[in-house]
Amino acid sequence: MAIEQTLSLIKPDGVARGLIGEVIDRFERKGLKIRAMKMLHLTREQARAFYTVHKERPFYARLVKFMSSGPIVAMILEGENAVQVNRDLMGATDYRQAAPGTIRRDFSRSIEKNLVHGSDGPDTAMTEIAFFFNDLEKV
Ligand code: CMP
């Protein structure tokens, strides 16, 4: 299995609720390496651009408002099969369908405020990593 990188975001709800450490702990205990990390506060325009794939969805405006409502933490995670490993740790988008023991099942309170984002495939991961990080910011 190839070593992959993926983008992880701890969303404004996760940061506001003091769950940064909890989420990072789960990544590290599973063996994912953090290759870059920063805290930032997206503008509406940046949130719109990041989630442009969802621009026709009914929840897009709310999602953009939520994602620009407070600081987030962006990370590059690396490891074998990192895209899927991260998605397994996060659980399903809707916390009510997420498996027990996943981040979203344990902490989310709504389908929108679902704590974390993770790239959905290796190609998306490359695009999303490039959105948040330049080469100088990666180790
Ligand atoms: P994420 O994995 O970051 O990808 C898109 C985000 O849109 C998703 O997590 C949720 O935060 C949000 N989202 C997805 N579906 C809905 C929905 N039905 N209602 C509101 N927000 C949603």
Side-chain angles (χ1 to χ4, degrees):
M1 185 60 71
I3 299 289
E4 285 177 348
Q5 290 191 337
T6 189
L7 181 86
S8 167
L9 301 178
I10 304 176
K11 299 184 179 187
D13 56 331
V15 173
R17 290 170 58 196
L19 293 170
I20 297 171
E22 171 72 37
V23 171
I24 290 176
D25 192 42
R26 290 179 181 222
F27 292 155
E28 292 192 313
R29 280 192 286 147
K30 192 68 182 173
L32 292 169
K33 303 278 183 224
I34 298 170
R35 291 296 179 208
M37 177 161 63
K38 63 183 167 191
M39 183 179 274
L40 68 159
H41 191 150
L42 293 174
T43 63
R44 290 252 180 143
E45 217 38 66
Q46 289 166 334
R48 237 178 244 126
F50 182 71
Y51 277 116
T52 192
V53 63
H54 294 305
K55 68 176 186 293
E56 307 300 340
R57 309 288 285 273
F59 56 81
Y60 181 63
R62 278 176 55 105
L63 176 62
V64 167
K65 188 173 175 199
F66 165 55
M67 287 302 292
S68 56
S69 67
I72 63 170
V73 172
M75 283 168 273
I76 301 175
L77 303 177
E78 185 180 274
E80 271 188 22
N81 206 16
V83 171
Q84 192 58 47
V85 169
N86 181 37
R87 292 183 72 78
D88 291 346
L89 287 171
M90 291 192 303
T93 304
D94 184 346
Y95 71 101
R96 292 166 298 189
Q97 275 148 37
T102 59
I103 294 168
R104 285 166 168 168
R105 176 65 172 263
D106 286 351
F107 301 112
S108 304
R109 292 172 180 162
S110 75
I111 188 166
E112 177 186 65
K113 295 183 174 57
N114 61 358
L115 259 119
V116 281
H117 167 83
S119 309
D120 64 6
D123 292 342
T124 317
M126 279 193 287
T127 310
E128 293 187 347
I129 286 171
F131 184 93
F132 280 99
F133 295 98
N134 64 42
D135 284 345
L136 276 177
E137 295 170 313
K138 302 175 193 168
V139 295

